[in-house]
Amino acid sequence: QPVYSSGGAAVYLVHLPSAAVRAEVALGRSTKVALRLTPQHLTLADDRGRVVVLDLENGQVRRDFRL
């Protein structure tokens, strides 16, 4: 679930067994964020039209664009 502040939203992907933060995505000025998590990808979309897809197996950003 996203964490909202006055500056926007942040999403933290946490590896539960180790409690380690594996990814942190800051979405400045966002007030709503949609998430989809699969074993291979984390997909984020916000109310400002941004879409980000993270490849969880390789640790790479696969997509980062605006609609």
Side-chain angles (χ1 to χ4, degrees), residues 14-54:
V14 178
H15 181 254
L16 290 178
S18 66
V21 175
R22 297 295 182 158
E24 177 181 345
V25 179
L27 298 165
R29 297 183 285 165
S30 293
T31 59
K32 294 181 184 176
V33 178
L35 306 168
R36 181 169 186 230
L37 180 62
T38 69
Q40 294 82 24
H41 299 98
L42 172 62
T43 304
L44 310 161
D46 70 3
D47 59 335
R48 300 187 56 82
R50 292 178 282 208
V51 178
V52 178
V53 179
L54 303 177

